[in-house]
Each structure stands twice: as C-alpha cells, then as structure tokens.
Amino acid sequence: MITTEHSVVTRSDLGFLLAKATQRWNELLADEFARAGFAEVRPSYGSVLLPLYEEDGLRISELARRARLSKQTLTTLIRRLERAGLVERRDDPSDGRAALIFLTERSQGFKPVAEVALQTLDVLVRKRLGAEQLTSLKDALRELTELSRPADC
C-alpha cells in the first residue's frame, strides 16, 4: 500500500493536470475545426479517424485496439461518426459476420484541416515549452500510455 504524508488530492495531481491539459487541447482543436467549416467533428473522433487515416478499412476490433478503447465504446463512437457522414461500414468480404470501417469523402476532405489544426497547436506548444521540452513531453506521454499497475501496489 502506498502512503504519503501530504495530500495528493489537489489540482496539482498528475491525473488532474493531464485531464485539464487534454480538455484545453480539445477546446482549441474544436475551435480550429469549426473555423475551417467542420464544426460537426469533435476532437474525440480522432480515436477513429487517426487510425483510419493511417490505414483505411479496419475492423472494429482492430480500431478498438489501436484507439485503446473498448469495442462497445468504439461502436458508439462509430455510430456518431456515421451520423456525421465521416465513416461508413461495409461488409468484410473475408468474413460475412464482420464489418469494415471506411472513411467517407467528407472525412477525407477533413484530413488536411486536421493536419493544419494539429500543426497550429504544435506551434503554440512549442512556443510555450520550447522544442526540447515538447519532445520530452511527447516521449513521456508515450510512456504513460503503456503504464500498468505493479502487482505490489
């Protein structure tokens, strides 16, 4: 069991800071998307769109793995993207029970907008932190995505 002498339940808690930084990042992204005429694209859609931009036509199970989300959560998210006209399901020719998720023409048109928005935010962060600290931050965040709980905690 981990014990501390001081309270960690404060706004300086790592989890709180990560959540608030993500929240602010997403607000800025949403503003950039809306300004470019894609107000229907929510930052959370990146969990589906980014893997599909890397490789279009993935099964939900593979998308879930790449997005690090449950299949149930991803299914709900995919329904939202379908309603927004950003993805479509097609039967998997190799397995009649499965479906493949593909980008639509609308989401293909959104890709350059997303690239510009991300580059814009990257510039803001680089100005705020500096290039070296930005690189270190990205490395640290990659490490945190692989965090697991040790058996002795």
Side-chain angles (χ1 to χ4, degrees):
M1 182 170 163
I2 297 173
T3 60
T4 62
E5 293 181 22
H6 63 344
S7 177
V8 293
V9 184
T10 67
R11 288 180 294 142
S12 64
D13 171 69
L14 177 61
F16 182 84
L17 291 171
L18 287 169
K20 293 301 149 187
T22 299
Q23 182 180 17
R24 183 63 185 137
W25 182 267
N26 286 340
E27 290 167 356
L28 293 168
L29 271 179
D31 289 347
E32 291 293 318
F33 297 165
R35 195 176 350 272
F38 286 87
E40 78 278 12
V41 179
R42 297 178 181 181
S44 63
Y45 293 177
S47 292
V48 173
L49 295 175
L50 289 175
L52 290 175
Y53 286 143
E54 291 173 350
E55 182 180 355
D56 202 10
L58 295 173
R59 285 186 180 181
I60 290 177
S61 58
E62 180 58 19
L63 267 173
R65 187 188 69 75
R66 293 183 188 192
R68 299 182 69 100
L69 295 171
S70 71
K71 283 200 268 184
Q72 294 81 5
T73 298
L74 195 70
T75 298
T76 300
L77 195 53
I78 287 170
R79 284 187 191 121
R80 289 183 184 152
L81 274 96
E82 285 178 307
R83 284 194 298 270
L86 298 168
V87 298
E88 64 183 11
R89 293 176 202 242
R90 298 182 199 158
D91 292 337
D92 184 340
S94 66
D95 182 350
R97 300 166 296 161
L100 301 175
I101 307 302
F102 285 89
L103 298 165
T104 63
E105 190 175 319
R106 176 91 173 137
S107 58
Q108 292 287 0
F110 173 70
K111 185 178 181 183
V113 170
E115 288 172 347
V116 168
L118 291 169
Q119 288 170 356
T120 299
L121 293 182
D122 200 60
V123 167
L124 288 175
V125 174
R126 191 177 310 277
K127 284 181 182 177
R128 185 79 174 221
L129 300 179
E132 188 175 315
Q133 198 172 1
L134 175 57
T135 299
S136 295
L137 176 61
K138 286 181 177 182
D139 290 343
L141 291 172
R142 276 188 211 93
E143 286 295 319
L144 289 179
T145 64
E146 301 302 324
L147 193 64
S148 61
R149 185 183 171 131
D152 60 346
C153 280

